[in-house]
Amino acid sequence: MTDDERRAAELLAAARNVVVFTGAGVSAESGVPTFRGAGGLWKQFRPEDLATPHAFARDPRLVWEWYDWRRGLVAKCKPNAAHHAIAAAQRASGQTDKRTVTLVTQNVDDLHERAGSQDIVKLHGSLFLDQCAQCAQGAQSAQVAHRCGNCGGWLRPGVVWFGEALPEGQIEAAVEAARECQVCFVIGTSGAVYSAAGIVHEAQAAGAKVIVVDPGDTAYDSIADIRLRGSAVTIVPGILRDG
Ligand code: NAD
Ligand code: ZN
């Protein structure tokens, strides 16, 4: 373990409240591609051209083809050691009641859930829930035909698209946890997608230390108290002990 990793482990173990903030990078070693960086492309399209309300209005079948492909891909992936370490830290904190570990994720995969994490603040929704694009019917579990059981209209993926507001209650829950934590542990997110990135600034403004694990450059590099360059699987399990 490097000196920085040891310092990070100590900060995490000493904190009464921890916010773990994850992005696509935490799932990269499970085989889920990130959008930015190598291997994130689908056919000739960019996510920015498909993950928008406009793209869906223009061609729902094309957008669904992309989401069906992503669902199939995620379904074949398994949670990795970083997802498991986070879930274990949450379980341990629940047992002692002496500390809280709040997981806030931008991911739309279900790998944190499958690793056993509970009470996840999901800022960008889920790949595995649909919503009716026509009527006010709420979330429905993934439908193959993509038609609403209530009105027969198009369902859409229950994810937040570019330019859309975050799900009600989720950003509030994240900000509240951020303001009360002593350590904000950021794993595998470039910080390019705003409002979500504001969580880290909220935490730091309220006095929290910021620890960042990512093999590449991130928007948090200049504000991180501890910057660990490396992959989630190689670094997270070592420093996030059950405390
Ligand atoms: P991003 O694609 O902008 O950034 C990913 C970050 O992960 C990069 O900084 C990269 O260097 C880092 N990374 C790559 N491999 C890593 C590893 N092995 N360990 C740790 N870090 C690693 O991702 P983002 O910041 O989460 O924003 C992308 C948006 O797209 C999110 O809002 C999310 O909803 C969506 N998205 C989700 C998934 C998913 O659910 N798994 C995948 C792709 C995109
Ligand atoms: Zn409907």
Short mmCIF file of all heavy atoms in Angstrom, two decimals, residues 3 23 32 48 52 57 72 82 108 114 117 119 129 136 160 169 171 177 186 191 205 215-216 220 226 241:
data_model
loop_
_atom_site.label_atom_id
_atom_site.label_comp_id
_atom_site.label_asym_id
_atom_site.label_seq_id
_atom_site.Cartn_x
_atom_site.Cartn_y
_atom_site.Cartn_z
N ASP A 3 1.81 5.35 0.61
CA ASP A 3 1.52 6.26 1.73
C ASP A 3 0.16 6.92 1.55
O ASP A 3 -0.60 7.07 2.51
CB ASP A 3 2.60 7.33 1.84
CG ASP A 3 3.88 6.76 2.44
OD1 ASP A 3 3.84 5.62 2.95
OD2 ASP A 3 4.92 7.45 2.37
N GLY A 23 -19.02 6.52 -10.48
CA GLY A 23 -19.38 6.72 -11.87
C GLY A 23 -19.06 5.48 -12.68
O GLY A 23 -18.72 4.42 -12.12
N VAL A 32 -18.45 -3.29 -18.23
CA VAL A 32 -19.42 -2.30 -18.71
C VAL A 32 -18.63 -1.11 -19.27
O VAL A 32 -17.86 -0.50 -18.52
CB VAL A 32 -20.34 -1.79 -17.57
CG1 VAL A 32 -21.39 -0.84 -18.12
CG2 VAL A 32 -20.99 -2.96 -16.85
N GLU A 48 -24.14 10.90 -26.81
CA GLU A 48 -24.74 12.24 -26.84
C GLU A 48 -25.82 12.36 -27.92
O GLU A 48 -26.68 13.24 -27.86
CB GLU A 48 -23.66 13.31 -27.10
CG GLU A 48 -22.70 13.53 -25.94
CD GLU A 48 -21.58 12.49 -25.88
OE1 GLU A 48 -21.65 11.47 -26.60
OE2 GLU A 48 -20.65 12.70 -25.09
N THR A 52 -30.97 11.30 -25.56
CA THR A 52 -31.65 12.59 -25.45
C THR A 52 -33.14 12.41 -25.75
O THR A 52 -33.52 11.52 -26.51
CB THR A 52 -31.11 13.62 -26.47
OG1 THR A 52 -31.53 13.22 -27.79
CG2 THR A 52 -29.60 13.73 -26.44
N ALA A 57 -37.73 11.02 -29.52
CA ALA A 57 -38.91 11.50 -30.25
C ALA A 57 -38.75 11.25 -31.75
O ALA A 57 -39.71 10.90 -32.44
CB ALA A 57 -39.10 13.00 -29.98
N GLY A 72 -28.47 -5.98 -22.33
CA GLY A 72 -27.93 -7.32 -22.54
C GLY A 72 -26.48 -7.41 -22.08
O GLY A 72 -26.06 -8.39 -21.47
N ALA A 82 -14.63 -3.94 -6.20
CA ALA A 82 -14.91 -2.58 -5.69
C ALA A 82 -16.38 -2.47 -5.28
O ALA A 82 -16.69 -1.96 -4.20
CB ALA A 82 -14.55 -1.54 -6.75
N VAL A 108 -26.23 3.64 -14.19
CA VAL A 108 -27.57 3.14 -14.46
C VAL A 108 -27.58 1.61 -14.54
O VAL A 108 -28.61 1.00 -14.77
CB VAL A 108 -28.14 3.76 -15.77
CG1 VAL A 108 -28.31 5.26 -15.59
CG2 VAL A 108 -27.25 3.46 -16.97
N ARG A 114 -26.59 -5.62 -7.17
CA ARG A 114 -26.26 -7.05 -7.18
C ARG A 114 -25.12 -7.39 -6.23
O ARG A 114 -24.98 -8.52 -5.80
CB ARG A 114 -25.95 -7.51 -8.61
CG ARG A 114 -27.24 -7.69 -9.41
CD ARG A 114 -26.98 -8.60 -10.60
NE ARG A 114 -26.71 -7.84 -11.80
CZ ARG A 114 -25.83 -8.19 -12.73
NH1 ARG A 114 -25.09 -9.27 -12.59
NH2 ARG A 114 -25.67 -7.46 -13.81
N SER A 117 -25.52 -3.69 -2.13
CA SER A 117 -25.73 -2.34 -1.58
C SER A 117 -27.21 -2.06 -1.47
O SER A 117 -28.00 -2.47 -2.32
CB SER A 117 -25.07 -1.29 -2.49
OG SER A 117 -23.70 -1.21 -2.24
N ASP A 119 -30.26 1.10 -0.22
CA ASP A 119 -30.50 2.55 -0.09
C ASP A 119 -29.56 3.35 -0.98
O ASP A 119 -28.92 4.30 -0.54
CB ASP A 119 -30.32 3.01 1.37
CG ASP A 119 -31.27 2.27 2.29
OD1 ASP A 119 -32.38 1.97 1.85
OD2 ASP A 119 -30.87 1.98 3.44
N LEU A 129 -35.49 -0.10 -15.48
CA LEU A 129 -36.85 0.38 -15.25
C LEU A 129 -37.29 1.18 -16.46
O LEU A 129 -36.51 1.92 -17.04
CB LEU A 129 -36.91 1.29 -14.01
CG LEU A 129 -36.78 0.62 -12.65
CD1 LEU A 129 -36.78 1.66 -11.56
CD2 LEU A 129 -37.91 -0.39 -12.44
N ALA A 136 -48.90 9.19 -17.33
CA ALA A 136 -48.15 9.46 -16.10
C ALA A 136 -47.82 8.19 -15.31
O ALA A 136 -47.39 8.27 -14.17
CB ALA A 136 -48.95 10.43 -15.22
N VAL A 160 -31.86 9.11 -16.87
CA VAL A 160 -31.85 10.56 -17.10
C VAL A 160 -31.07 10.83 -18.37
O VAL A 160 -29.92 10.42 -18.50
CB VAL A 160 -31.21 11.29 -15.90
CG1 VAL A 160 -31.11 12.78 -16.16
CG2 VAL A 160 -32.00 11.01 -14.62
N GLY A 169 -36.02 14.12 -5.49
CA GLY A 169 -35.62 13.55 -4.21
C GLY A 169 -34.19 13.03 -4.20
O GLY A 169 -33.55 13.04 -3.15
N ILE A 171 -31.31 14.11 -5.83
CA ILE A 171 -30.24 15.10 -5.67
C ILE A 171 -30.30 15.69 -4.26
O ILE A 171 -29.27 15.92 -3.62
CB ILE A 171 -30.29 16.19 -6.77
CG1 ILE A 171 -28.99 17.01 -6.78
CG2 ILE A 171 -31.47 17.13 -6.65
CD1 ILE A 171 -27.87 16.35 -7.53
N ALA A 177 -26.56 14.19 2.34
CA ALA A 177 -25.49 13.29 2.79
C ALA A 177 -24.13 13.96 2.61
O ALA A 177 -23.24 13.83 3.47
CB ALA A 177 -25.55 11.97 2.02
N VAL A 186 -14.64 9.44 -4.05
CA VAL A 186 -15.07 9.54 -5.44
C VAL A 186 -14.36 8.46 -6.26
O VAL A 186 -13.13 8.38 -6.25
CB VAL A 186 -14.71 10.93 -6.02
CG1 VAL A 186 -15.21 11.07 -7.44
CG2 VAL A 186 -15.26 12.04 -5.13
N GLY A 191 -16.39 13.53 -13.86
CA GLY A 191 -16.87 14.82 -13.37
C GLY A 191 -17.36 15.72 -14.48
O GLY A 191 -17.59 16.91 -14.27
N ALA A 205 -17.12 21.88 0.61
CA ALA A 205 -17.48 23.17 1.20
C ALA A 205 -17.92 22.99 2.65
O ALA A 205 -17.76 23.88 3.48
CB ALA A 205 -18.57 23.84 0.38
N PRO A 215 -7.98 6.09 -12.84
CA PRO A 215 -6.71 5.97 -13.56
C PRO A 215 -6.46 7.15 -14.51
O PRO A 215 -5.33 7.37 -14.93
CB PRO A 215 -6.87 4.67 -14.37
CG PRO A 215 -8.34 4.49 -14.52
CD PRO A 215 -8.99 5.14 -13.32
N GLY A 216 -7.50 7.89 -14.84
CA GLY A 216 -7.35 9.00 -15.79
C GLY A 216 -7.55 10.35 -15.11
O GLY A 216 -7.72 10.43 -13.89
N TYR A 220 -12.02 16.59 -10.70
CA TYR A 220 -11.80 16.78 -9.26
C TYR A 220 -10.32 16.80 -8.88
O TYR A 220 -9.99 16.95 -7.71
CB TYR A 220 -12.48 15.65 -8.47
CG TYR A 220 -13.90 15.43 -8.86
CD1 TYR A 220 -14.28 14.30 -9.56
CD2 TYR A 220 -14.87 16.39 -8.57
CE1 TYR A 220 -15.59 14.11 -9.96
CE2 TYR A 220 -16.18 16.22 -8.97
CZ TYR A 220 -16.52 15.07 -9.66
OH TYR A 220 -17.82 14.90 -10.06
N ILE A 226 -6.73 13.71 -1.49
CA ILE A 226 -5.88 12.57 -1.82
C ILE A 226 -6.29 12.07 -3.20
O ILE A 226 -7.46 11.77 -3.44
CB ILE A 226 -6.01 11.42 -0.80
CG1 ILE A 226 -5.67 11.93 0.61
CG2 ILE A 226 -5.08 10.27 -1.19
CD1 ILE A 226 -5.76 10.87 1.68
N ARG A 241 -11.89 -0.56 4.21
CA ARG A 241 -12.14 -1.70 5.08
C ARG A 241 -13.40 -1.47 5.87
O ARG A 241 -13.94 -0.37 5.89
CB ARG A 241 -10.92 -1.95 5.97
CG ARG A 241 -9.81 -2.65 5.16
CD ARG A 241 -8.48 -2.49 5.81
NE ARG A 241 -8.19 -1.09 6.02
CZ ARG A 241 -7.05 -0.64 6.48
NH1 ARG A 241 -6.11 -1.45 6.81
NH2 ARG A 241 -6.85 0.68 6.65
#
